[in-house]
Amino acid sequence: EPLPDAAQEILCQLAEKADPIPIPPLTHPRSLDAVGALLRRSLIEKSAAGFTLIPVVMEYVRHHLP
């Protein structure tokens, strides 16, 4: 099942920063739904500092998503 646009946008934001991003700076209006979907698919990790991509996902996003 393809990722919704909001989830792809969040993946790209996380890949650009490489540092944890808290929820408020995420710009898409459906950020909370998208974050939940990404967590369920184990594509992102949650920490006290915010959300990050796991390294293999970060590499994939940097090379394959716009």
Side-chain angles (χ1 to χ4, degrees):
E1 175 179 330
L3 287 173
D5 291 341
Q8 287 186 24
E9 184 177 319
I10 289 170
L11 287 178
C12 291
Q13 287 180 29
L14 290 170
E16 285 177 14
K17 300 288 184 189
D19 292 324
I21 297 178
I23 288 267
L26 296 174
T27 58
H28 199 280
R30 299 208 42 162
S31 293
L32 291 177
D33 293 338
V35 166
L38 293 169
L39 284 168
R40 283 190 301 280
R41 294 176 186 205
S42 299
L43 297 174
I44 63 174
E45 297 176 331
K46 182 179 177 185
S47 69
F51 295 93
T52 58
L53 290 176
I54 59 174
V56 70
V57 175
M58 184 176 294
E59 283 300 313
Y60 179 86
V61 170
R62 286 182 174 168
H63 293 290
H64 293 95
L65 291 181

